[in-house]
Amino acid sequence: MGIIKRFPILWLVIIILHCLHDVSGQLYLDYYKESCPLVEEIVRRQVEIAVLKDPRSAASLLRLHFHDCFVMGCDASVLLDSTSSMTSEKQAGPNLNSLRGFRVIDKIKQVLEEACPNTVSCADVLAIVARDAVVSRGGPSWPVELGRRDSLKASFNGANRFIPTPNSSLDALISNFAAQGLDTGDLVALSGSHTIGVSRCVSFKPRIYGDNLEAENDHYKRVTVFHRILRSICPQSGRDNAIVSLDLKTPGFFDNQYHRNVLESKGLLNSDNVLISQDVKGEISARVWAYAADEQFFFRSFVNSIIKMGNINVLTGEEGEIRRNCRVVNDL
């Protein structure tokens, strides 16, 4: 206390700086250094356990971060369950019967609450988990800036409006990403997430049974066998929920095979192949070629873009809250 009495102005400056840390909207690498120093170690261990039990978990956990950030920002709104006054984003078209990994997040949050009660936000958990999921499949690592807080609400309508669909056109994809402050470079890099994971037949049947299939096969003779394989798994009628790897060649690895597939028109989803087929100017196609040729260039670009995405409309300071249970706000 002697220092405070002798240097009151210095103490005032310290208080102001502390407040700025909380309300400036900035994220920090050492945000939990004092309050929960083992947060990243705890999350990493739980992700490793989840992926060991179910390799599909890696893609599912990465996808949660995407679907969260594209609706109101990276605020863990995607994790909220429905209530009498709010419809969960989980019920929206892009997420219903498709989004997975919620129990893994529940487990991570439970362990964190035991170690550091009321400290680590669910939004920060999603950001760390996305990184660790990529690393678990051989992809790049990156420093995750932290300090996000959790939203008090979800947006069912926002999830239906802003999350890209499997059958999106290139213009629609560009518009979806632009709405989040992301450019076409981010679009091509982040689409590379489809190097891992699976999709249900219902999501790509229009691609393998659509009206434009004949023209596509005339131009890309090599995709004929590819389509036959997909048709054998996904008949025109039935088996809508059967699953197929987004990357049939190296499904268990986070690599640049996705971009190679797209160059051969062998992306599983229509939203994959339009990066080439609907790119009139050639700028997006050039980026696909570059990533297909240089995996490290893809990794660097992916890291830059997912860090950028992780900063979309974050809540900080006194905004939102730190949920004790990621599925419900604290006053329920």
Side-chain angles (χ1 to χ4, degrees), residues 275-323:
L275 297 178
I276 295 293
S277 64
Q278 296 182 8
D279 179 31
V280 177
K281 296 181 179 180
E283 296 175 359
I284 293 175
S285 300
R287 185 60 66 99
V288 175
W289 275 100
Y291 292 160
D294 187 340
E295 184 173 80
Q296 291 305 311
F297 179 41
F298 162 54
F299 282 178
R300 291 192 299 272
S301 298
F302 179 84
V303 165
N304 289 335
S305 292
I306 200 166
I307 290 175
K308 182 178 177 181
M309 185 191 77
N311 279 271
I312 296 174
N313 294 332
V314 294
L315 303 176
T316 58
E318 298 302 315
E319 299 173 307
E321 65 179 9
I322 305 297
R323 286 187 221 137

Side-chain angles (χ1 to χ4, degrees), residues 4 17 30 41 56 78 80 99 103 109 144 151 170 197 212 222 231 233 240 262 298 327:
I4 297 175
L17 289 175
D30 62 349
E41 182 178 331
R56 282 181 60 192
V78 72
L80 289 171
L99 215 54
R103 291 184 180 179
K109 183 60 173 173
V144 179
S151 68
L170 182 57
N212 65 336
R222 291 172 293 177
R231 287 182 171 188
I233 301 171
D240 282 354
V262 169
F298 162 54
R327 293 177 179 265

Side-chain angles (χ1 to χ4, degrees), residues 41-53:
E41 182 178 331
I42 290 171
V43 174
R44 179 171 59 252
R45 178 58 178 159
Q46 292 301 317
V47 170
E48 290 173 351
I49 292 172
V51 174
L52 184 62
K53 290 180 178 178

Side-chain angles (χ1 to χ4, degrees), residues 148-162:
R148 300 167 187 79
R149 288 171 64 88
D150 301 323
S151 68
L152 302 175
K153 60 183 180 179
S155 177
F156 172 80
N157 291 332
N160 280 319
R161 178 182 178 187
F162 293 113

Side-chain angles (χ1 to χ4, degrees), residues 116-323:
C116 317
N118 306 318
T119 301
V120 182
S121 71
C122 301
D124 276 346
V125 169
L126 287 178
I128 300 170
V129 160
R131 187 268 313 278
D132 293 346
V134 169
V135 172
S136 75
R137 299 288 85 188
S141 182
W142 61 91
V144 179
E145 295 186 325
L146 302 169
R148 300 167 187 79
R149 288 171 64 88
D150 301 323
S151 68
L152 302 175
K153 60 183 180 179
S155 177
F156 172 80
N157 291 332
N160 280 319
R161 178 182 178 187
F162 293 113
I163 297 174
T165 67
N167 296 309
S168 293
S169 67
L170 182 57
D171 285 343
L173 288 173
I174 292 173
S175 178
N176 281 137
F177 275 67
Q180 310 302 330
L182 302 173
D183 58 29
T184 55
D186 300 316
L187 166 61
V188 182
L190 294 174
S191 292
S193 295
H194 287 179
T195 185
I196 57 175
V198 300
S199 180
R200 294 182 299 156
C201 290
V202 68
S203 297
F204 58 86
K205 276 189 178 181
R207 164 161 161 66
I208 58 175
Y209 293 105
D211 294 335
N212 65 336
L213 181 61
E214 195 64 39
E216 185 176 332
N217 280 342
D218 287 342
H219 190 65
Y220 297 103
K221 297 298 184 182
R222 291 172 293 177
V223 303
T224 304
V225 174
F226 179 63
H227 283 158
R228 287 175 180 169
I229 292 173
L230 297 182
R231 287 182 171 188
S232 70
I233 301 171
C234 307
Q236 194 161 11
S237 178
R239 299 202 71 195
D240 282 354
N241 290 321
I243 58 174
V244 178
S245 294
L246 289 163
D247 171 11
L248 288 175
K249 291 189 176 181
T250 58
F253 297 94
F254 193 98
D255 54 23
N256 67 338
Q257 184 61 49
Y258 165 83
H259 295 95
R260 297 179 182 182
N261 293 340
V262 169
L263 290 178
E264 297 179 358
S265 194
K266 292 181 181 178
L268 185 64
L269 308 178
N270 183 71
S271 58
D272 297 324
N273 294 285
V274 296
L275 297 178
I276 295 293
S277 64
Q278 296 182 8
D279 179 31
V280 177
K281 296 181 179 180
E283 296 175 359
I284 293 175
S285 300
R287 185 60 66 99
V288 175
W289 275 100
Y291 292 160
D294 187 340
E295 184 173 80
Q296 291 305 311
F297 179 41
F298 162 54
F299 282 178
R300 291 192 299 272
S301 298
F302 179 84
V303 165
N304 289 335
S305 292
I306 200 166
I307 290 175
K308 182 178 177 181
M309 185 191 77
N311 279 271
I312 296 174
N313 294 332
V314 294
L315 303 176
T316 58
E318 298 302 315
E319 299 173 307
E321 65 179 9
I322 305 297
R323 286 187 221 137

